[in-house]
Amino acid sequence: MKKIFKTLFSLNPISITTGLIFLVLVIFLAGVSLLDLLEWKAYDLRFLSKGVKKPSEEIVLAAIDEKSLDLVGRWPWPRNRIAELVDLISRDGAKVIALDLVLSEPEDSQVLSLIKDLNREIRSLGIRDPRLDAYIRRNGIKADNDLFLARSLEGSASKVILGYFFHMEQDDPDHPLPGKGLEESLRAIASSKYPLIKKTGLGALPEEIFLNAYAPESPLPILSRAADGTGCISVIPDPDGVIRWFPLVVKCGEGLYMPLSLQALWQYLDKPQLMVRINDYGIDGIQMGRTFIPTEESGQFLINYLGPPKTFPHYSAADILQKKFSKGTFTNKIVLVGSTAKGTFDTRNTPFGPGFTGLEIHATVMDNILKKDFLRKPRWAVTHDLLAIVILGLLTGLGLPRLSAIRGFLYAMGLFLVHILIGRWLFIHHGYWVNLVYPLLTVLLVYTSLTLFYYFTEERERKKVKNAFSYYVSGAVANEMLKTPGKLKLGGEKKNLSVLFSDIRGFTTISEGLSPEELVRLLNEYLTVMTDIVFKYEGTLDKYIGDAIMAVFGAPLDQADHAHRACTTALDMVQALKGLNEKWVEEGKRPLEIGIGINSGMMMVGNMGSEQRFDYTVMGDAVNLGSRLEGANKRYGTRILISEFTYERVRDDFTCMELDSVRVKGKQKPVRIYQLLGPMDMDESKKEVVALFHKGLDFYRQQRWDEARRIFQRIVEMDGELRAARIYVKRCLRLKAHPPGTDWDGVYVMSTK
């Protein structure tokens, strides 16, 4: 144990933070059931915090409640009573009646059985009397409640939808459902099959992506033929027993089937175009007319609950049968008919707690679609969750070392609460479900670990760090470096950084016209202004090389936007030089011109040298390329050149013009280089010139010399400061006169450093 603690506290806060972030990421990607359970509960709390919403007026519930059972009798009811209920609702003007009931078996009628037995006995006795046959047939029809209900459905002025459920797995492998039985069952629910399927991807989806059902428990064929449609009433709870998702698509056989709620709504809206949209990742959603209904990959819909049980208006079936309701109660509405009595076992757990009936779940789904009030767990949610884990972990790990114990606690609690509030805000105002538990776990683990780390260890060598780094970083950065004294040790690390080289053009010639004292004053004034700009953007001054400046961004402190900082520094340097030149001209001195090269990439950074004397610097091919770009400004007549690697990081923030593809000395692989012109909001004329230059560059690379030359000549006339256009005019003339070989790739070889 002692060895473990010694190893732990020999690490620095960044190592601990990185390790803990990695640990949480592994746990997140592996999926730990306990933490997932906590996330589900955090999700449920978001519902409770947002309050109750008003339901749609188009949806009402006809509830077979305890009062109804007292009136009619135990459940299930005779089919003639269901028919009577449907008739009364239909006569009041309901547009759609959806029965959240499974009528899959013939009704067990003793009277009908007796009539059938009597008919068989009469025929066995050889009695043939047409009047007797008609009498038996009439009474058989009267006693056949299934037929009675079917005729009621056929004669209903409302559109009637019947429910059914799916067997998701084969219950008894030794007694499978016969193929003919399955075919008959699928025919009975054919009206709930999606009419259109639109697939935008190219690959075939694996079967497991769908909710695959074994067989439907379909309505009686006589009833399904009489009804206007059918719909599935199956719901699938999460492992903790709570209903958060609703299956909008279930695959059975070769077909995709819709639920009762969507079928009823589709009928209510007079059957607009309805299709399942599928891409390479799975089911994208359902398109119904102009409404797009989002789902997750398997076709499940995230239910946006409006409130606790009985948020929707309930009308007791007993009151309806006794005609104790106001005329027009059901006019032009969707009426969901189903059981809500506790004894019928159709109650479910939801984020608002237990006691929620399946009837209300169907009503909620229809309300969500009518209002387009959707919840989503979008595909970018995983990326968001990963970024939240990393960002919160880094913010905690980087912030705590800078704060006292009390401020650190308040800081961590602030991050904790901010993430909760952001998650709640996304949920309530935008309908997005993002993970709370894993990012908060990261904050908790990093905070606890670093608090223990600082409790058992002390910061060392503060003065040494301060003195060492204050020479080549700003005071603010030096103070930050006090938190990580380990960086002062001899050695280096490989990091992705940006390096900036700046050099005065023709400095040797300028220096010849000045006395040593004047030269020193001029150079000191210039270097002071330029160094202040580097420090302004928290860059690290690597070194002065005569009149040249070498600066690094992204080290010693991590800066995710190091390329942006380097480019901003370069633009400010050029702007500051204009002011210096105006001052020097007034003093009778010659103005200066500078060239700046910037490259981003992997570099070795750290303290290089001996134990007695070392220098904090960067090394590597990426550094050398930055130096080459600085020198290339003389060839192209530019002030700031950046590599393609820097351009990819700043392309959305600055106006850049692709200048050439070059092969620098000592390297075989070509590099695209860009001229950094300014911020993205430059005037349109400059952007027009850039677009025109890119067009000319395309013609140049296609060896269409005349077209390219005309474009570059036009640029020369439009913008005299763009000297690179003149270079390309000359190149086009030369290459036209001396065409390159077939292996020419448009790359310019820089033979000098």
Side-chain angles (χ1 to χ4, degrees), residues 49-224:
S49 70
K50 76 172 185 176
V52 179
K53 290 184 177 180
K54 185 179 178 182
S56 301
E57 295 181 355
E58 295 93 336
I59 305 168
V60 297
L61 277 56
I64 301 172
D65 52 10
E66 285 80 0
K67 181 179 177 181
S68 305
L69 297 183
D70 291 340
L71 174 69
V72 177
R74 67 181 180 85
W75 185 257
W77 281 356
R79 304 280 163 84
N80 62 330
R81 298 313 299 269
I82 297 174
E84 183 182 353
L85 184 63
V86 170
D87 288 342
L88 288 168
I89 295 171
S90 178
R91 284 201 292 269
D92 194 52
K95 186 171 182 179
V96 177
I97 302 173
L99 302 182
D100 184 16
L101 310 169
V102 179
L103 307 173
S104 59
E105 298 292 336
E107 183 176 303
D108 185 12
S109 172
Q110 294 182 354
V111 175
L112 182 59
S113 298
L114 181 60
I115 291 173
K116 289 180 179 179
D117 290 342
L118 179 61
N119 187 46
R120 282 194 296 270
E121 186 64 25
I122 290 173
R123 293 195 177 279
S124 68
L125 294 173
I127 300 173
R128 295 289 185 269
D129 188 332
R131 291 174 299 173
L132 181 59
D133 290 343
Y135 175 79
I136 291 174
R137 188 164 51 254
R138 282 197 307 272
N139 283 278
I141 292 173
K142 289 180 181 179
D144 190 347
N145 285 339
D146 291 331
L147 180 60
F148 187 84
L149 177 57
R151 289 181 174 178
S152 175
L153 299 181
E154 287 178 340
S156 174
S158 306
K159 297 177 181 178
V160 182
I161 313 300
L162 298 181
Y164 65 89
F165 70 89
F166 278 111
H167 295 282
M168 302 309 291
E169 295 180 0
Q170 183 176 346
D171 295 326
D172 186 357
D174 296 326
H175 297 86
L177 190 67
K180 183 178 180 182
L182 178 59
E183 291 175 6
E184 290 178 353
S185 297
L186 291 177
R187 279 197 296 270
I189 65 168
S191 59
S192 66
K193 188 175 180 180
Y194 280 99
L196 291 172
I197 298 173
K198 182 179 181 181
K199 191 173 187 304
T200 56
L202 299 176
L205 293 175
E207 283 294 314
E208 56 267 21
I209 200 72
F210 297 102
L211 289 173
N212 286 284
Y214 173 61
E217 191 69 36
S218 59
L220 289 170
I222 188 175
L223 298 179
S224 62

Side-chain angles (χ1 to χ4, degrees), residues 510 581-582 584-585 589-593:
I510 295 172
N581 281 333
E582 291 173 2
W584 290 333
V585 168
K589 300 173 184 175
R590 292 178 59 182
L592 301 181
E593 281 290 334

